[in-house]
Amino acid sequence: MLLETGHRLASSIEWVSVDRRCRDHEPARPKVAHLTKWTVAEALAVSLGGLVFGYDLGAISSATQSLRTQFHLSPGVFGITISFSLWGTIFGSLLAAHWADRVERRTLLAGCAMLYGLAAIGATLPFMSDLASLLALRFLCGTAIGGFTVGCPLYLAELAPDGLRGRIVSLFQVQVGIGVVLAFVAASLFVRLDVQGELWRWCLGGGVVPSMVMVFLLWSLPRTRTGIAEEGSVVGRAEFAATAVISKNREGRLFQRRNARPILLATSIAFFNQLSGANILLVYVLDVLSSAGIGFETGHRYTILISSLSLGTTLLGMSLVDKVGRKVLLYIGAAGMAICLLCLAVAIPYHLVSWVYLCILMAYNVFFAFSQGTVVWVYLSELFPVGVRGAGQGYGSFVHWIANAMLVLVFPIVQHASSVRIFYVFAIFMAVQMAVIWLWYPETRGAALGAIAVANNGRDSTRVP
């Protein structure tokens, strides 16, 4: 009884404090400094969308050469085939942006997991062996992943207190790394089983396992979240009170002047994330290694080493994102990736010993994992105020996947013309990003969700730290 009374008293005191801050037009910051065991379990279940996403990336990367051989694909058709799921991801992010603020997060994510699982099962069926069927299934997989990239970071950001939000949202990227490693390990086992003619089918079909596990865990959660802050919790009440004062019922529209800064920041971080070349060096890593003279089986072993190191570095980034801050990690990562991309472009034509390329790619993935890889979904989840947070996350995801799809589509054609030119281009864009980060990016570490939009409002002089 005493504990319950004390808890209610603490909640009342915090609610009064929040109310006073709202009257001063200051974004409220809930003072929840710890996570319960149940909250951690909830975050791990939700972040499994990242594991499905990562598995899909590793599976399609492992299947590239098998698909090229199986369907006798030219460079142009090969690019279309590999990028087809990404066009589905664009479609999925738009759908999720529309529904994320209208339905429960759990319902959205469970639906995406079920869709991915059904498409993965379809890839294993013998009568789905023609290219048209494969493209349709890949489009459905991409649609589900688009939903994950909108719903998972949103759910995790709303679940976490301000001081731990970076680490909680980073769970999504950690799960992506785990999924990539699992896919590469599975592909290496399939190669040893001598199923090279059907390697693509085995790799893509394996995605049914993590997706169905996610469905089961999501529906075992008793708690739900929607785009509207829940007044039943201290965090929900604080955010609801803060945003109610400054919004005056205008949050329903994303594209308005008061959201201009977060929209531009979301566009920038999404484009630069892809112009780092990270997804190219993941999806086409076997082709890049092959162009450097590295054999098929050796390439598969290298992918496991590279992805495992990347996962470990993502965990490092997860521990630093709330201590060092988003901006510093992005700046260091851009500088390191620019150097690695230049080294790779110089080294590929000479067909040096294989460990040289392994070292360059491992260093590149280290810089990406603790910077762009850790920060991008955290940053996107923090930019927009309540009411348009789902639409804003969907917009950022949409830009991210548009850039990704275009690059994955054209890379085989560009590589056929020159195996190194595109890496010089990526290095230049990383240098440009360094300047943009230094001059323009705000630091959102510890700031309330949507504080950038609040600070951008002429009625409020609050600054993001």
Side-chain angles (χ1 to χ4, degrees), residues 176-226:
V176 172
I178 293 173
V180 171
V181 172
L182 290 177
F184 283 143
V185 170
S188 182
L189 293 175
F190 297 149
V191 169
R192 291 178 178 273
L193 293 174
D194 197 25
V195 296
Q196 293 186 21
E198 297 289 315
L199 180 61
W200 65 271
R201 191 187 300 279
W202 286 71
C203 290
L204 299 180
V208 67
V209 177
S211 60
M212 291 299 101
V213 170
M214 184 179 181
V215 171
F216 173 78
L217 292 178
L218 282 174
W219 286 113
S220 66
L221 297 175
R223 297 168 63 180
T224 61
R225 290 175 185 270
T226 65

Side-chain angles (χ1 to χ4, degrees), residues 260-422:
R261 191 182 185 199
I263 288 172
L264 291 173
L265 286 168
T267 303
S268 169
I269 191 73
F271 268 123
F272 280 122
N273 181 262
Q274 292 307 308
L275 292 172
S276 68
N279 275 351
I280 293 297
L281 286 172
L282 175 58
V283 173
Y284 292 113
V285 63
L286 291 173
D287 296 85
V288 172
L289 291 172
S290 178
S291 69
I294 297 174
F296 184 74
E297 290 192 20
T298 302
H300 274 281
R301 289 196 298 270
Y302 281 6
T303 60
I304 297 174
L305 292 173
I306 293 168
S307 59
S308 297
L309 179 62
S310 180
L311 172 59
T313 312
T314 301
L315 293 171
L316 173 64
M318 181 180 173
S319 68
L320 295 176
V321 68
D322 285 321
K323 297 178 182 179
V324 176
R326 288 65 157 150
K327 189 171 180 176
V328 174
L329 292 181
L330 286 173
Y331 191 84
I332 295 173
M337 284 187 286
I339 295 171
C340 292
L341 287 164
L342 286 174
C343 292
L344 184 63
V346 170
I348 284 178
Y350 293 99
H351 287 203
L352 304 174
V353 292
S354 60
W355 63 264
V356 173
Y357 303 101
L358 177 63
C359 290
I360 293 173
L361 288 173
M362 290 178 75
Y364 171 87
N365 277 274
V366 164
F367 282 111
F368 174 81
F370 79 78
S371 61
Q372 296 269 9
T374 300
V375 172
V376 60
W377 301 114
V378 176
Y379 215 63
L380 286 175
S381 71
E382 295 174 324
L383 295 178
F384 297 95
V386 68
V388 296
R389 190 169 300 138
Q393 180 80 17
Y395 168 78
S397 182
F398 171 77
V399 174
H400 175 277
W401 292 116
I402 280 282
N404 191 359
M406 292 301 298
L407 288 172
V408 172
L409 174 66
V410 303
F411 178 78
I413 301 172
V414 174
Q415 188 191 38
H416 185 71
S418 171
S419 60
V420 299
R421 192 174 300 162
I422 195 168

